Amino acid sequence: MNSLKLYTVITAIFWIVVLYTALVVVNKSYANEVVPYKHVVAVGALYTIYYCFNVLFLYWGLSKKWLFRIIAGLGFFILFCTLFPFMYYIIQEVMPRLDLQLFSDDVPYDKVYFQRRLISAYAFVLISALLTVSIALFIYRRRIYKLQISELIKLQEKLVSKDIKTHFLKNLLSTNFGIILLQSKPEQKKNIQNTIGLLAYFMRIESETEYLVSIDDEVNELKRFIGLLKQYYGEMTVKLIGEYPKGSYLIPLGILLLPLENILKYAKISNNSPIHIAIQLRQNECLFTFKSMIDNYKVNSYKSSGTGIKNMNKIIEMLQLNIEINTHKENEIFVFNINLKHI
């Protein structure tokens, strides 16, 4: 049983207990004419049955599977369409046979009054179900948020206390954006998950040097990185175009994140100076091109040693991979190319 289902069930049980307690207390203490207990139980049972169905259909309505959503919609439609005939049959035909008559024989049947009472009762049931699912969903999301934040803090503390050996990763985490990754506590669920995923990938890069991963995994982490950059610098500050060859083509772990370390250290990043990332498929090769506007102040402040690129080239040479890395300037634009050959 997943957490949302568990919280929904617990909240529903709590509501049912409160309903029965309220009915009994009101009946004993405030009613002009005390209703027999079995009648209270019968009315409560009818409320509970409709309440449970409404909670179930609302829960299915939150499902990601369209089949459950369709069933939930049909369920609500059937409940509403059968409300009057079904409840009339139960209250007027079945309950009197069980000595649970709710209306006196000397009171004439008023169809309009009966329907109004049913509609008000059903509205109460529906509102109760909505509140139940809403409260359960709120508790579930807060619980998940706290668990994810706890996981994020542990990862951040590990990276802060760890003596990072990977050159480009050490430099990346020392940038303003890297510091944000190590200190921030995002509010949005997606940003929390992306930060956790990226920091976990950093841990892999640090511990699994000279390790190969599929191009799919590496591009997914690149996109995760880009998503967080957009959250920090602005939606229009990073532009990614092109498609990569999906499959099991293996590349060094972290190679597509290497250019971002240079960009964060030496580039201007703004809506007017966005990062351009282009993926070009050619015959038997795939070219990743990263372009960014050079920030001369940053260049003068942080002298580049080229160690990160040298280390990556050593890994490429050692693993005998057909990958080329080259960088050059085009006026005030820094260009970083990664060419994957023989794809």
Side-chain angles (χ1 to χ4, degrees):
M1 181 179 287
N2 66 51
S3 295
L4 178 56
K5 190 182 293 184
L6 175 63
Y7 293 136
T8 303
V9 170
I10 292 173
T11 309
I13 292 172
F14 175 78
W15 181 89
I16 292 169
V17 170
V18 170
L19 173 66
Y20 271 99
T21 303
L23 286 173
V24 171
V25 170
V26 170
N27 183 46
K28 285 185 176 180
S29 305
Y30 302 102
N32 294 327
E33 183 179 348
V34 177
V35 179
Y37 180 72
K38 61 181 181 179
H39 287 71
V40 174
V41 172
V43 171
L46 289 174
Y47 271 100
T48 301
I49 291 169
Y50 269 88
Y51 166 76
C52 289
F53 274 114
N54 277 274
V55 169
L56 178 64
F57 293 148
L58 285 171
Y59 177 80
W60 282 352
L62 295 173
S63 173
K64 293 181 180 179
K65 297 180 180 178
W66 278 102
L67 178 60
F68 284 100
R69 293 182 179 182
I70 292 170
I71 293 173
L74 289 173
F76 279 119
F77 178 76
I78 293 170
L79 278 180
F80 187 76
C81 290
T82 60
L83 178 65
F84 295 130
F86 179 73
M87 291 303 293
Y88 177 86
Y89 175 74
I90 293 295
I91 293 174
Q92 300 288 358
E93 302 292 337
V94 176
M95 292 180 67
R97 297 175 192 169
L98 301 174
D99 194 25
L100 294 171
Q101 188 168 342
L102 297 181
F103 302 102
S104 176
D105 291 333
D106 57 357
V107 177
Y109 172 67
D110 186 334
K111 182 179 179 180
V112 174
Y113 176 75
F114 180 73
Q115 290 179 344
R116 286 178 179 173
R117 291 288 297 273
L118 278 182
I119 289 174
S120 62
Y122 186 72
F124 172 75
V125 168
L126 185 58
I127 292 170
S128 299
L130 281 168
L131 286 173
T132 298
V133 175
S134 298
I135 292 169
L137 189 60
F138 174 78
I139 296 171
Y140 168 72
R141 286 177 173 171
R142 292 305 300 175
R143 175 63 176 164
I144 293 298
Y145 175 79
K146 288 181 179 179
L147 289 174
Q148 289 179 333
I149 286 295
S150 176
E151 183 181 356
L152 175 59
I153 291 172
K154 288 178 182 178
L155 270 172
Q156 289 171 330
E157 290 175 347
K158 278 185 180 179
L159 280 166
V160 168
S161 62
K162 195 175 183 64
D163 183 17
I164 303 295
K165 303 296 183 183
T166 307
H167 179 81
F168 93 87
L169 188 57
K170 186 174 184 178
N171 284 344
L172 190 153
L173 291 174
S174 67
T175 64
N176 289 338
F177 181 71
I179 294 171
I180 290 294
L181 289 177
L182 293 177
Q183 295 180 354
S184 67
K185 307 295 182 290
E187 287 293 329
Q188 295 182 3
K189 178 182 176 182
K190 183 179 179 180
N191 291 339
I192 298 172
Q193 291 173 337
N194 283 338
T195 306
I196 290 173
L198 191 61
L199 292 181
Y201 204 67
F202 287 169
M203 292 291 288
R204 282 190 65 189
I205 293 172
E206 174 64 16
S207 61
E208 300 175 6
T209 310
E210 304 168 6
Y211 190 83
L212 294 174
V213 293
S214 71
I215 191 171
D216 286 343
D217 289 344
E218 187 74 5
V219 171
N220 286 338
E221 294 306 320
L222 174 63
K223 289 181 177 179
R224 193 196 300 272
F225 203 138
I226 290 171
L228 290 171
L229 283 172
K230 287 182 176 181
Q231 285 294 320
Y232 181 64
Y233 289 103
E235 185 64 29
M236 302 304 295
T237 56
V238 186
K239 297 180 180 180
L240 172 65
I241 59 171
E243 292 292 330
Y244 69 95
K246 297 177 176 62
S248 57
Y249 185 83
L250 298 178
I251 58 177
L253 179 67
I255 188 171
L256 297 182
L257 305 187
L258 178 60
L260 295 174
E261 178 254 334
N262 279 266
I263 290 170
L264 289 170
K265 281 177 63 179
Y266 304 118
K268 295 178 182 178
I269 306 174
S270 66
N271 290 332
N272 295 325
S273 306
I275 303 166
H276 291 273
I277 305 173
I279 307 174
Q280 296 176 309
L281 277 174
R282 300 172 179 174
Q283 188 174 9
N284 297 325
E285 65 181 26
C286 180
L287 178 65
F288 287 79
T289 301
F290 298 75
K291 292 185 178 182
S292 56
M293 183 72 71
I294 296 171
D295 187 329
N296 290 316
Y297 174 78
K298 288 183 178 179
V299 171
N300 294 329
S301 300
Y302 305 99
K303 297 297 181 183
S304 176
S305 63
T307 304
I309 296 175
K310 291 176 185 176
N311 290 341
M312 186 59 71
N313 278 325
K314 287 180 182 178
I315 293 172
I316 292 169
E317 184 179 351
M318 184 187 66
L319 297 175
Q320 298 181 341
L321 302 173
N322 288 305
I323 299 175
E324 288 184 358
I325 297 176
N326 63 75
T327 62
H328 64 274
K329 293 181 181 179
E330 296 176 356
N331 296 323
E332 292 299 308
I333 302 296
F334 181 74
V335 182
F336 196 121
N337 290 320
I338 300 175
N339 195 0
L340 312 178
K341 297 186 173 183
H342 301 295
I343 285 186

